[in-house]
């Protein structure tokens, strides 16, 4: 199991007063582990195991090149936004057999960023259902894979049956700038919702 907590900045600044928990979710092999690792200022905690022949009947690898490991519990990373605000990123495993973990991971979370792949959009519905049942506000980020079809935003929004107020952005989970922009879209959405409450 690959896990580590050491880094050049392992401790929080003493000035940090607010910590926010964000879930990074999506279907199997959509890039959640990569996303958390790209944004984390500490070496991320990863609970990955090698995929085996025993899992071949439940983990559909069709159209997924070179995948040899899978998250079996969670990914964890940290991102300090300001002197007094830090985000804790929790990546949830994407397979249906691990969704019971989501109850614990969702506890205390302010919202979720749902990663989707246009080549496998239909796999996103189960994930979106779980997030909605948890009552979490969310934003959707299309993680662009090489060779995956690209569609206009309106078509993706319609295919996923998103409300007009649900943020939909594009990102590359390997790229810090676009991953940050996706996270900002979620945070902006959460602030808007907070401002609407009496």
């Amino acid at each position: 199991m690959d896990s580590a907590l050491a880094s050049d900045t392992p401790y929080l600044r003493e000035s940090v007063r607010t910590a926010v928990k964000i879930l990074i979710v999506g279907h199997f092999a959509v890039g959640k582990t990569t996303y958390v690792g790209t944004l984390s200022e500490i070496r991320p905690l990863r609970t990955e195991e090698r995929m085996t022949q025993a899992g071949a009947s439940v983990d559909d690898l069709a159209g997924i090149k070179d995948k040899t490991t899978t998250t079996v519990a969670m990914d964890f990373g940290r991102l300090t936004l300001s002197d007094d605000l830090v985000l804790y990123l929790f990546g949830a495993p994407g397979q249906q057999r691990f969704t019971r973990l989501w109850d614990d991971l969702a506890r205390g979370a302010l919202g979720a960023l749902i990663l989707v792949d246009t080549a496998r959009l239909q796999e996103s519905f189960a994930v979106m259902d779980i997030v909605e049942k948890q009552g979490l506000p969310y934003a959707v980020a299309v993680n662009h894979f090489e060779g995956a079809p690209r569609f206009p935003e309106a078509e993706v929004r319609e295919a996923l049956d998103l409300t007009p107020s649900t943020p939909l952005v594009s990102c590359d989970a390997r790229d810090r700038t676009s991953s940050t922009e996706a996270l900002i879209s979620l945070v902006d959405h959460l602030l808007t919702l907070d401002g609407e409450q009496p």
Side-chain angles (χ1 to χ4, degrees):
M1 191 174 293
D2 176 22
S3 64
L5 291 175
S7 101
D8 293 335
T9 58
Y11 303 107
L12 285 176
R13 298 175 187 158
E14 289 184 23
S15 59
V16 170
R17 297 289 175 255
T18 305
V20 176
K21 181 179 184 181
I22 300 291
L23 290 188
I24 309 300
V25 299
H27 56 75
F28 173 61
V30 75
K32 300 174 297 292
T33 297
T34 300
Y35 185 91
V36 170
T38 296
L39 285 182
S40 183
E41 67 195 14
I42 60 172
R43 204 160 104 197
L45 168 70
R46 292 186 171 133
T47 58
E48 288 199 302
E49 291 292 338
R50 290 195 63 74
M51 297 181 70
T52 64
Q53 202 54 32
S57 62
V58 289
D59 294 329
D60 183 7
L61 294 175
I64 304 168
K65 298 188 306 185
D66 306 323
K67 181 142 180 84
T68 60
T69 62
T70 188
T71 300
V72 295
M74 68 173 186
D75 298 309
F76 172 78
R78 185 184 79 202
L79 180 61
T80 302
L81 292 186
S82 67
D83 287 339
D84 64 347
L85 175 63
V86 66
L87 296 183
Y88 290 120
L89 308 175
F90 286 80
Q95 296 98 314
Q96 288 292 316
R97 66 184 182 278
F98 294 124
T99 55
R100 289 181 301 190
L101 294 170
W102 286 34
D103 289 337
D104 291 330
L105 290 175
R107 191 170 293 121
L110 256 82
L113 182 66
I114 302 175
L115 296 181
V116 301
D117 174 3
T118 55
R120 298 178 292 142
L121 270 185
Q122 71 282 359
E123 295 180 34
S124 302
F125 297 122
V127 173
M128 294 172 74
D129 285 345
I130 293 169
V131 171
E132 289 174 355
K133 285 177 185 168
Q134 294 288 346
L136 291 173
Y138 61 88
V140 176
V142 176
N143 186 16
H144 285 293
F145 288 86
E146 198 171 313
R150 296 195 181 231
F151 301 102
E153 179 182 322
E155 287 184 27
V156 176
R157 184 173 289 281
E158 182 179 351
L160 293 174
D161 195 26
L162 299 179
T163 65
S165 63
T166 302
L168 175 64
V169 296
S170 294
C171 77
D172 179 338
R174 301 164 299 180
D175 177 71
R176 188 171 181 83
T177 300
S178 71
S179 293
T180 300
E181 289 169 358
L183 192 58
I184 288 170
S185 74
L186 172 62
V187 172
D188 284 346
H189 182 56
L190 296 175
L191 290 171
T192 299
L193 294 175
D194 188 50
E196 292 174 356
Q197 295 183 5

